[in-house]
Every structure is written in C-alpha cells, then in structure tokens.
Amino acid sequence: MPDPSLLSLFDPPPGDPLPDEAMPAFDHVFALDERHGAQAFWTRLAEHVEGWLSTRGLAARDVIVLLPFAQHLAPARRAWMALAAQRRARAGAAPGMGWQPRFETTHSLAAALGPSPLPQPHEISGDAAIDLLAARELLQGQSWAQQLQRADAQAYQMALQQLVELAQQLQRAAELQAPARRPTFWDRAREQLSAPTATGQLERALALVALEWAIASDREPATDRLFELRPAAWVHLQCGGPDRLADALLQEARAIGLPCLRLSAELVLEPLAPLGEARPPLQVEVAVCEDFEDVAQCSAAAVLAHLRAGRAPVALIAQDRVVLRRVRALLERQQVGLSDETGWTLATTPVAAQLMALLRASRREASLDEWLAWLKTPLAAALRARCGQAALGLLESRCRSEGWSKPQQLREDRLAPSAARLWALAREGLAALQGGARRSLQDWLALLTELLQGLGADAALEAQDAGPQLLDALWLRRSPWPGSAHEAVLQQAQLSHAEFLAWVGSSLEAAQVVPPLQGELQVMVTPLARAMLRPFGAIVLPGAEVDTLGPVPPGPALLNEAQCRALGLPTQDDKREALTLQFAQLLRTPWVTLLRRAHAGSEPLPPSPLLERLGLALQQARWPVLRDWADPREQKALARLPQPRAQALAAGRLPRALSASGVDSLRQCPYQFFARVLLGLRENQELEAAPDKRDYGTWLHAVLQQFHEERLAGDPPGLGDEERLLLAAQAQQRRLGLAAEEFLPFSASLARFVPRYLAWLAETEAAGQCYAAGELAREVHPWREPPLTGLALLGRLDRVDVAPGARVLLDYKTGSLQSLKDKVADPLEDTQLAVYAALMQGAELPAGPPALQAAYLALDESRELAAVAHPEVEHSAALMLQGLGEDLGALHGGQPLPALGEGPVCDYCEMRGLCRRDDWAGEAL
C-alpha cells in the first residue's frame, strides 16, 4: 500500500480500460514529496521495483517494465544502473552483477519482436491519403453514396474523410484488445452501430461501412505478439491517462498467474490537503502578455533566462504551434541548441510550397500569377538559366503593365525574346500534366517524376531540407511494398488532375518532418504529454489561455459520446481528464513558466481553467502560490526622432509629358507629383484579383466603344441597338478573358444598364446630338516658351459628340452622381475635364462647330443616365494651362515640392510611406 502521507495530496484516478472490465487498483502511487523532480522520481521507481522483485525472489533480467513513452527509457535505465552501482559499492559485489529489467514501451517491445505485417489490398493502410482513395473505391457500389456525390461533391468528400477517420480509429481500438477478446469487441461495435440513434441515416450508413471495413482488415497486428510473452513478471507505469494496451496485457497476464505490478505516477489537482513541511522546491510563475508578439518574445526571454540560470535543458511546450514558430525563430537568432520532437507538417516546408506551386500552375485554369509563382521557385531555376536571369523579370513586368491575368491573354509577340522563350519552355515543360484524361495514381506519379527530371527539378528538390522526405511521402523515389494496400491503391485509383492535386496536398499534410538538432541540446520542443517525468531543468509553456490550453480534439464525427464510451474509444471527458493529468505533471519540474495572452484582438482572453485550478490547488496545499513572472528583458530608452514635413527639390527637371492624373497630383500634393510623375513610382498591379469597380469601368468603356463604332459603320447590318450592345458585351468579355463566374457581376449590371443607356441615347439623338468618335488618344504641346517647350499634355478622350452649335466632350463615369456634381461645383477645381478640353485644341477630328461643351456621363444611376456639365470648360482649360505653366516653371527653377498631408487624398495615397506622413513632428496621425 502507498504511504498515506503521500496520498494525502494527490489521489490517483480510477482505471477504466473497458466498460465491462475493471482493472485492479494501482499497487503503488508515486506522489510528490520532498524528493522532488523527474530524476528523483526515476530513482524512487528503481528502488521500488527492486524491492518488489527482491520480495518475490524474481531476477530483474527476466522482468519487463512497460513505460509510457520512449523518452522515458533512457532515464529509467540510468536510474537502475546508478542504483545497481550503489548496491555493488555497499556490498562489494563483483562488477558483473546487477542485471537490469527490460525497460520498454508497448510499441518498442512489439517492434523488437518483429515487423508489422503489411496491410493487404482493400485493407486499411493507416495512411490517411491512401485510405481516402480506398474508401472512394469502397463506396463506388453504394447507390446512396453516388447520389450524394452527384448532389454535393463537397459533402461527399467530407463523408469520405469521416469514413476513413472512424475506420482507422476502430481498427486501432481493436488492436488494443487481447486477441481472444477482439471478436467480443467487434460484436459490441456491431451492436452499437446498428442500434437506432439520434444521428442521421447517412452518418449511420457511413459508420456501418467503416466498421465492416475495419473488421475486414483482419491482419494480426504486431502488438498481438506481446500477449504470447511469458516474462518472470510484468511491471507497468501509468502516467498521463490509461494505456489500454498495457492494461489489457497485464489483465491477461494476471489471468494466467504471472506476477504483475501496476504503478501510477498520476497527479491530480484536487482534492488537495496540506503536506506539512515537506514541500518540493517548486516555482510556478505566470506571465500575462498583451498579444501574439508579446507572448513570443516573453517566451523566448523566459527560455534564455532559465538557460542563464543553469536550468538546462529547458522544455518548450508545443501547445500553440503558431506562437512556437515565432519563439523558435527568436531563439535560433541567439544560436540556442534546439531540438524539436513534434516536427513540422511537411506541407508547411519550402519544398512542399514549391512543388504545390508547380502543380497549381499545371492546372488548365491556372492564372498568370500562379505561373509566375512557380517560375520564381528553385524548381524552375534550370529554365531561368537557359533563358537568362533577366527573362523572368521582363515577363512579369510586361504582364503587369498590360494587365494580363490569364495565360490566354498573354501575347508572345509583345514579349522580349528572352521572356517569350521562358514562357514557351514553361508551357512545354508542364504540358504533360495538362491532359484532361483520368489516370491511375501510379501513372500520375510517373508523369510527375518525368516532368521533374525534364525540368532538372528533381535534384533541386532532393538538395533542399525536407526534400528527400517529400519524395518519399509521394512515392517519387521508392516503390510501395509489393502486394500491399498502398500498391493496390496506386495502381487502381483513377484520378482527374484536380483529384491528383488534392491527393498530393493530403499526403503532404499527413507527413511530418523533424528537423535535426543544431549544436548542443539546450531546449527541447515537445508536446505536453511527452514532457512528463523527464529531467528538465525548467518548463516554458506559451499558450496558457482558455482557447489554447483546455480544448481537446473532437472524436469521430460519426459516433456520439455514448457510443465512444461503449466501445472504449476516448470520449471528450477522457481527453479532458488526460490533458489535466498531463498538465499536473508540471509540478514534478522545479521551475515552470506559464505564459498567456490577455487579449485576442479587442476581446479579453481569460486564462485556461487548468491554470486557475493549479492556482487554487497550490493555495489549498499551502504551497507557494502562482507568482508573477519577472520580465528579464532589458528596457532601452530610445530618443524620439520626429521627422520634419517632407519636401523635394527638382530644379532643372520636368516630366516629358503630363496626363490629367499628373496635373491632379500636382494640385493635390506636390510631393505626390514628385513621386508619381518625376520619379515614376508605381505600385505593382495585382495580376490575380477579383474584378472590382475599376475593372467594370474598363470593360464598359470598351463595350460602348465597340457598340458605337459598329453602329456608326452599320456592321454587322440588320442588328437592333439592344442586340448590338449585348454582342459587344460578350465580345469584350472574351477579349478580357473573363470566366462566366467572374463575368457574373458585370452581366448583372449590364442587364440594368442597357435599357437606361438606350433610352438616354434615343433622347440625345432626338435633340440632334450624335456620336462622332471615341477613345481618342491625344497629345498636344500647349507651351511654346522655355523651359516648358516640348512638354506634352496627353490623354484619352472617352467620347466626342456633335450637337447643334457645339462639339460635346463626354467622359464616362461609374461613380456616384453626387460626387460628380460636387466635382464641378467649382469649375476651376475640376482638373480632368479642363485637361480634356485642352486636348481638343487643334484637333482635326471630329469636325464640327468651334464651340466646346464638356460633361461627365454618370452610367450607374439606378433610374436614368445623367450628364453633369462643366460650365465654360474652355475658359477653365485656359486658366488651368496658364496656372500649370507658372507652377511648372517655378518647380523647374528650384521651388520645393512639399508634402501637404491634408484631406482624404492623403488617407489613400500610396506614397504615404515615402513621405513618412505618420512620423512628422507633432503631426502623426
């Protein structure tokens, strides 16, 4: 029986391996006492096991001790050898004495007894991506499944994932049973899944298919050999929740009379009682951080502080993987020797991103952005080398300047020779993957292998970190085992190109990569469960808030909690209890630092309930309560360096030409004019973006231009205005390469626009105003005196009509009518129509009366189109040219171009970072 003084603080949880089977209570519980720490624990364990063996006269070498994790094997063996050395030193025994038991985990012991049998064709393989394809073949003969696939492909895919998840869990649960008890388990499972429940018919049908698939996978697991072993005795240490396989193994061993010792290292947080003066040297501190970056920096600082205090190695708990990425980056900058037991998902590695970029580019519907993303990767380095390193830059710049977003829009005759050659080689290189036929998975992989070799990308993949693992995960450099379930799926599964890409993504998501240790081990990144009972000097756990430390992964979607409990599958309560037991093991470490965020955005974020329970437990036990973490980071005072208002000097410089937008920039903010016009700075245009208001305006301008030119020429003859306008819209859709789903917002607007526009057109033509020309590119030289000689004013006129007594300049607008009225309320502030009026000077076409009128035509009005006239536009143009000439002459002479930093123009200016508007002295927004 355990010492009551030890049990007064922590009581072990009851064992519950199966609903109808009760394991005997633990023979001994290792609670906390004054001999604190993981190293002391293993010494106590060795002493207790040795005493138990001596009492029964058993030889240690004939005994098997089962431990929770493989990481526990080394400290257990070291503790036993140290104890044996002490015994020999005291007794003067010969050096050859002191055999130790066989320390194993259930999995390491099973592996030592021989390899696991291969899963046969149509059996569950355990590989999620392979089993997903096998499940699809399994449902081919089910009419209800095929009906679901036709009705909702996404729901069908989710059903497949749920089927695979449950089948794999049922198989694992069966493998935890003693071989003689497995038929009883399957009978119980059939009874549970056949009984009417609250779940729907689809879920019930999927669950039954998963069950029969699991039963049909009747290969003998490697762990069945454990039940054939006959050691002198079994010893099992439980920690962090039940080990159902070890429980079943000891239950069978006791049934045949083998001596068994069940030990528990479980710690529970309540009920607690005072422990008197025997208090372990425990320090638990909590850091409350503001946000993500603060948590990451404080975590790294805590790790470094523990290392400086000599508490190596430090365990860094991988509870929040996103935060951990940042912490790891901060620690690597300090050249800390760090080992990661959790690893990274292969899909998050650079090589996986490069391969997926190549595969996305091979899709028929791939965008130019996706092609360029692949061409920038190391997998296209050989192609770039054949065409010159400047080829890719020339290709991308041309695509952006032309606004091409789809491959079918690209015109090779408008590319530089090197860029055209790169594009041709890229299209040729991926052509093999772009066929529309369905192929077996094996054929797809053979094509991909051939493509990588042809591009010279196979060597580039293998030379990178995680490259070999990627090639192995996708079966690109090894063949599956003959006669296995993997080989059957690779040969039989027929996939489309999209399904092949989905399989590659799933395979990369399922595979893990463990980075190698760099330098001497100082920090171990490990999950909470694997940190138990290990001799760490300190533990740092970032993510002790309610949404990170507390939630547990859901169970099988096709089973409810009652069914999981009846089948011995972990329930939500079981998982929460296991998490609590693992968290309680932190008390075996002398120093624990827990970090949590105080806020998630603007919302307060409470601490994890486990953190609150721990604080209450320490208080009830009269131990030192949770204390605030002392931030070891040094505070450095930085002097404020406010920036003066930005201004530029451009003496002796003038642009070659000015557009209406350039004139507008000069009037709104001289510094914006300096950056945009004189320096020629521009934001890169996005190649792949959802159509927006500007795209709609561009398309509508082109539609109206085509409509009026064909209407004026009478080509094709015999068409009505409405039909002609709709045909022009379809033609421009094809010219812009817009897919049907992308064109939907345009077509919806067009249906409302056509009747309104034709009604306005009929009204204006009845008044004598007729279309004369459109989309006129104009360039004039209005200044004859130096230094402005040769400076051009240029632009494109949307439309010019001829009316009785005047020519009418129209500018199409898709904005609001009220904003246009505000724009011309003060005619001298309206730059655009004044510039366009200046561009009409000396125009040969269209011929008409000398008088000029100008107006904005609002195309988006819900009831009828409206024209907003600019009164006396010729006068405004003359004044604009005079003032503009004076301003440009002053700038040429050395007058500064200051940043104004005022008004809404500044809020949306892309040059705001250049003028440092937010850093101006006393004026930061």
Side-chain angles (χ1 to χ4, degrees), residues 555-556 559-566 569-574 576:
L559 299 184
N560 56 39
E561 286 289 279
Q563 290 173 321
C564 288
R565 187 175 298 106
L569 298 178
T571 64
Q572 292 295 99
D573 290 341
D574 294 335
R576 278 190 286 268

Side-chain angles (χ1 to χ4, degrees), residues 156-185:
Y156 176 75
Q157 192 66 23
M158 184 176 297
L160 285 176
Q161 294 173 355
Q162 293 172 347
L163 168 63
V164 170
E165 175 193 26
L166 179 57
Q168 290 181 345
Q169 290 205 25
L170 287 173
Q171 185 185 53
R172 286 194 294 268
E175 291 176 354
L176 299 180
Q177 314 296 318
R181 298 174 182 264
R182 200 164 292 143
T184 304
F185 172 81

Side-chain angles (χ1 to χ4, degrees), residues 9 269-270 272 612-622:
L9 179 60
L269 296 179
E270 52 283 280
L272 294 177
E612 296 180 328
R613 288 173 61 181
L614 176 60
L616 181 61
L618 294 176
Q619 182 179 7
Q620 290 179 344
R622 299 179 185 176

Side-chain angles (χ1 to χ4, degrees), residues 665-726:
S665 288
L666 180 59
R667 301 184 70 175
Q668 290 176 342
C669 176
Y671 194 87
Q672 185 188 81
F673 172 83
F674 165 74
R676 282 185 181 174
V677 180
L678 295 182
L679 297 183
L681 300 181
R682 293 288 187 275
E683 284 186 319
N684 281 336
Q685 182 180 352
E686 291 295 332
L687 293 180
E688 185 178 9
D692 57 12
K693 195 76 171 178
R694 177 176 296 181
D695 297 316
Y696 172 69
T698 302
W699 168 79
L700 192 54
H701 277 58
V703 169
L704 292 176
Q705 168 69 6
Q706 179 179 338
F707 167 74
H708 281 290
E709 292 295 335
E710 291 179 348
R711 186 172 182 260
L712 195 64
D715 181 32
L719 291 181
D721 284 347
E722 182 175 355
E723 185 178 3
R724 191 185 302 277
L725 190 54
L726 293 175

